[in-house]
Amino acid sequence: MPASYFSPAPPEARRVNPTDALDHYRILTSMLAPALLMAATGSLLVSANARLARVVDRLRGIIAQLEGGDPMTRVEIEDQILRHRLRAGLVLRACLMLYLGLGAFVGTSLALAVDALLGFRLPYLPTGLAVVGVLGLLGASFYLGREVSLSVRSFDRELDQELARRRR
């Protein structure tokens, strides 16, 4: 009588080879490794989006000064607008790089599973995606570093302008 789909398997077929179980744990562990990088990337995204929101709020305040007839000269205000637009552009590029990295790390995790299912025939795909993710983080770090530097220089310039105005 043929074995039915619903009939229990014989006891010898139910035994799990310990090395097969270890292989599954290794695969799952390797799939979770990119999760740490995903968490770090998410944290950087939260920070970068907060920075972008602050720059946009500051830009709106500067534009209100321009429209409200602030005692600052129009040239000073337009200079601040230019610097803050540059800052916003840098943070935006950093966010795009972080999203690229996040997607690449998710892809790395999925590629590890697909590679295991296919008998480890795609050795370069997970590694390539991981490298793309790390490069995304590196690029975002450079953009955020430039933005912080520009932020400090902009603040120094605004302070100097305010001190000069008070001396008059």
Side-chain angles (χ1 to χ4, degrees), residues 28-157:
L28 286 174
T29 302
S30 66
M31 286 177 64
L32 292 175
L36 296 173
L37 292 169
M38 286 182 235
T41 304
S43 178
L44 283 171
L45 268 168
V46 168
S47 173
N49 281 319
R51 289 191 73 75
L52 184 59
R54 278 185 293 199
V55 171
V56 169
D57 288 345
R58 180 69 179 119
L59 258 172
R60 287 184 179 139
I62 294 169
I63 290 169
Q65 284 179 324
L66 187 64
E67 294 169 352
D70 191 275
M72 292 174 63
T73 67
R74 186 172 186 85
V75 173
E76 289 174 336
I77 294 173
E78 287 175 355
D79 182 52
Q80 284 186 15
I81 290 172
L82 183 66
R83 283 179 290 161
H84 282 80
R85 285 181 72 181
L86 180 58
R87 286 182 59 200
L90 290 170
V91 175
L92 180 61
R93 284 186 203 98
C95 286
L96 293 174
M97 298 297 285
L98 289 169
Y99 283 118
L100 170 73
L102 184 61
F105 293 137
V106 170
T108 299
S109 190
L110 291 173
L112 285 164
V114 169
D115 187 33
L117 286 173
L118 297 177
F120 303 102
R121 294 183 183 142
L122 305 170
Y124 300 113
L125 182 61
T127 303
L129 286 169
V131 168
V132 168
V134 170
L135 288 174
L137 286 179
L138 180 64
S141 297
F142 284 126
Y143 283 125
L144 289 172
R146 285 184 58 202
E147 189 274 334
V148 166
S149 176
L150 184 60
S151 172
V152 170
R153 282 185 282 147
S154 180
F155 180 71
D156 284 344
R157 184 179 276 174

Side-chain angles (χ1 to χ4, degrees), residues 3-8:
S4 166
Y5 178 76
F6 295 103
S7 65

